[in-house]
Every structure is written in C-alpha cells, then in structure tokens.
Amino acid sequence: MSEPNVVTVRGLRKRYGDRTVVDGVDLDVAAGEIVGLIGANGAGKTTTVECIQGLRRPDAGLLRVLGLDPAAEPERLRTMIGSQLQSSALPDRLRVGEAVRLFSGRDGADLLEQFGLAARRRHAFASLSGGERQRLFLVLALVNRPRLVILDELTQGLDPAARRSVWAAVDQLRTDGTSVLLVTHELDEAERLCDRVVAMRAGRVLESGSPAELVDRHARATTITFTRLPGPGLTDTGLTALLELPGVTEVGQLGGRVLISGDRTAIAHVGAALAQAGPVPPDLSVRIPSLEDALLDLLERDARADTPHRELTGVLR
C-alpha cells in the first residue's frame, strides 16, 4: 500500500477583497518528491504555499499537510516542516549562530559548514550579504530535519558556486526521503531539480507533469543550424535528403545558412549525415527546447484564450 501524500490540496481558493488570487487549485506532493510551482508573477504560487503552511487561511478548499489541517493546527504543523520564504527576515543584531540555536536548539555546525557560513557564525544578520542571508534562511529551513521543506525563490541572489551547493543539498533531501515544494522563476532550476512541475496562471493550474513531459507537449522543436561550406560537402541533393532522416520535420535555408527543425532524435542523425558528407561546419549549433519554452507556450495559449486582444506581458520575471 502506497504512503499517503505529504501534501493534498483540493479546490483551494483565496480572495483579497474583490480579487481572486487562488482559484480552485489542486495539488499533491508525495513522500520524497520535489514539486515545483512555476508561472508568471501574480499567478498565486506564493499564496498557495502560504495557505499550505497555515500562514494564510483559505476561503475554500481542502488542505492536508502531513495529515493535518494547516488552518486548524498551524503550530503543530510548523514543528514538522521547514520553510524559506521571500519575505523572511531576522533582527539586525541577531548573530548567525544565535539564529540557528533559536530555531533548533542545536548549533547546526554541519549545515553552516555546508553552506559556507561557518566563518560567519558570530556575525550579525545585518552584516550579511544578500546571498549569505539566503543561505542562512536555507540552513534554518533544514536544521530541524523536517519531513516537508517549502522553498520560495531558493537561489535568488546566489552566485553560481553557492547555487550549485544549494542544488546539491536539495538533491540530498530527496535521497533522504524529504518532500520539497519549490516556488521558482528560475526554470533551469525547476528543470534540474523537480520530479514534477505545476504551471500556474491567474490563480489556476494550467498543467502539471515532469519537466520533460511539459517540454514534449509544448516545446518539442529542436533546431539545428549551420552554414554550408564552399566546395565539396553537402550537396543540394544531400540537403534535401536530410528531410528523410528520423526526427527531422523541416529543412530550409536563409541566405547561406541551413535551418533544420525536428525532435531530439534528429540531432544524432543530422550529425552523422554531416560527418559523412565532409567537414562538419564549424558554426554548427543545436538549440534544444527547454522548460522555459514550454511555459511560455502554455501561458501564451492561456492568455489568448482568456483575453485574445490583450498583449501578454510580464510572463517571466
């Protein structure tokens, strides 16, 4: 018998005055699963996770987090989850080591070392850089070894090395069986970390699935481009023959540049054909569709259906 979901949300609704921010959201997070909430600014992602944590009371819907109702038992739930939110802040004079002990009752030396904060243990919060503060909030989210971790804009403001360190820590959470709910505008991050992503717009869920599934449904075209070399090499007949290769859907030319569209299988077949025809063009490039392409397609389709005469703006921050 499979374990019950760590998070179950059905028909979640939240309004502020006459504005509906979350409009009938359904969401599940299984044990040991990393689920990402993605979408435009104002999609309702942060409000959704705040309701899941018990920080906001929903207007309607069923929520169960680790078997508890967040609205009815928020204090009990907070001992079982860890969170790092956009709005997190600490008193300016509170020292790093004091903050960890305040939140956990232990020194958290292992996590401070892991996230490069061991040398800053005696420094006040106000003296930390933006990236150091972000890493400290992640330490505080993890220090009690929670069963569910909620992360909002996980790596905002981090340098590439710190970003990789944080990603490795999130990967380890999955290995340890901890569930993660990740709110992010960094779609390469979602593609790298998430087992599933849930795309939202205007308080509604547009679609969900693994990053690869969303890319396959909404951004399938791989593009291969190169300049035809003078002299022996790929002939006009050979160029036409590329259209017969597996995975290739279209072959065209713009000036002296060849443009080939298809799915990912086309990459290997076109590469082999070019190698056989002669020197491989030095400017050969391949563009593989990403989760960002898929989300843009989803948002644009939904915006056209919703308001066909309004230009879509602010899709991604």
Side-chain angles (χ1 to χ4, degrees), residues 68-178:
L68 302 176
D69 179 349
E73 302 177 274
E75 296 302 324
R76 185 180 172 195
L77 184 61
R78 281 171 201 157
T79 65
M80 305 165 70
I81 65 176
S83 63
Q84 167 266 322
L85 302 179
Q86 282 182 290
S87 57
S88 298
L90 293 171
D92 284 348
R93 294 185 180 182
L94 188 68
R95 297 181 181 184
V96 168
E98 292 172 340
V100 175
R101 285 192 297 274
L102 178 66
F103 276 73
S104 68
R106 67 187 189 93
D107 64 8
D110 52 340
L111 286 171
L112 290 174
E113 183 69 34
Q114 180 180 353
F115 291 107
L117 292 172
R120 306 286 276 167
R121 180 190 301 274
R122 297 184 181 275
H123 288 71
F125 178 75
S127 71
L128 302 181
S129 69
E132 287 171 336
R133 293 183 184 193
Q134 192 79 344
R135 281 181 277 155
L136 174 58
F137 290 134
L138 185 58
V139 168
L140 299 179
L142 302 180
V143 71
N144 282 324
R145 300 183 179 89
R147 293 172 60 190
L148 170 68
V149 177
I150 296 175
L151 305 170
D152 195 347
E153 299 303 330
L154 170 66
T155 56
Q156 185 176 6
L158 297 186
D159 61 65
R163 198 172 186 231
R164 285 194 295 271
S165 174
V166 169
W167 284 1
V170 175
D171 272 333
Q172 186 60 47
L173 288 174
R174 172 168 41 209
T175 301
D176 295 342
T178 302

Side-chain angles (χ1 to χ4, degrees), residues 13-296:
R13 298 183 186 277
K14 180 65 180 176
R15 295 174 60 88
Y16 298 126
D18 60 356
R19 184 168 64 99
T20 299
V21 179
V22 180
D23 188 9
V25 164
D26 293 342
L27 175 68
D28 294 304
V29 181
E33 185 179 36
I34 300 178
V35 175
L37 294 183
I38 61 175
N41 289 334
K45 305 183 299 296
T46 295
T47 299
T48 296
V49 298
E50 288 175 344
C51 290
I52 288 170
Q53 286 183 269
L55 298 177
R56 295 193 186 276
R57 182 176 290 273
D59 297 322
L62 179 144
L63 288 88
R64 291 293 179 270
V65 181
L66 297 167
L68 302 176
D69 179 349
E73 302 177 274
E75 296 302 324
R76 185 180 172 195
L77 184 61
R78 281 171 201 157
T79 65
M80 305 165 70
I81 65 176
S83 63
Q84 167 266 322
L85 302 179
Q86 282 182 290
S87 57
S88 298
L90 293 171
D92 284 348
R93 294 185 180 182
L94 188 68
R95 297 181 181 184
V96 168
E98 292 172 340
V100 175
R101 285 192 297 274
L102 178 66
F103 276 73
S104 68
R106 67 187 189 93
D107 64 8
D110 52 340
L111 286 171
L112 290 174
E113 183 69 34
Q114 180 180 353
F115 291 107
L117 292 172
R120 306 286 276 167
R121 180 190 301 274
R122 297 184 181 275
H123 288 71
F125 178 75
S127 71
L128 302 181
S129 69
E132 287 171 336
R133 293 183 184 193
Q134 192 79 344
R135 281 181 277 155
L136 174 58
F137 290 134
L138 185 58
V139 168
L140 299 179
L142 302 180
V143 71
N144 282 324
R145 300 183 179 89
R147 293 172 60 190
L148 170 68
V149 177
I150 296 175
L151 305 170
D152 195 347
E153 299 303 330
L154 170 66
T155 56
Q156 185 176 6
L158 297 186
D159 61 65
R163 198 172 186 231
R164 285 194 295 271
S165 174
V166 169
W167 284 1
V170 175
D171 272 333
Q172 186 60 47
L173 288 174
R174 172 168 41 209
T175 301
D176 295 342
T178 302
S179 303
V180 178
L181 185 55
L182 173 66
V183 179
T184 184
H185 283 95
E186 304 294 337
L187 297 184
D188 61 330
E189 180 169 277
E191 202 159 12
R192 162 70 173 75
L193 293 175
C194 294
D195 301 299
R196 286 190 300 114
V197 291
V198 178
M200 294 182 64
R201 178 179 179 269
R204 297 178 291 109
V205 172
L206 297 180
E207 194 163 347
S208 65
S210 71
E213 287 171 343
L214 263 63
V215 170
D216 189 54
R217 293 174 201 156
H218 298 283
R220 299 189 63 184
T222 293
T223 305
I224 304 167
T225 60
F226 57 89
T227 301
R228 290 181 67 181
L229 298 175
L234 192 66
T235 64
D236 288 339
T237 302
L239 188 62
T240 303
L242 292 178
L243 193 55
E244 305 301 319
L245 293 176
V248 174
T249 57
E250 187 176 353
V251 177
Q253 290 191 79
L254 183 61
R257 197 155 179 80
V258 178
L259 295 85
I260 301 170
S261 296
D263 60 30
R264 295 191 186 205
T265 63
I267 299 171
H269 296 287
V270 170
L274 292 176
Q276 187 175 12
V280 175
D283 64 347
L284 176 70
S285 67
V286 177
R287 186 183 183 281
I288 298 174
S290 66
L291 183 59
E292 180 173 332
D293 297 315
L295 179 60
L296 285 168

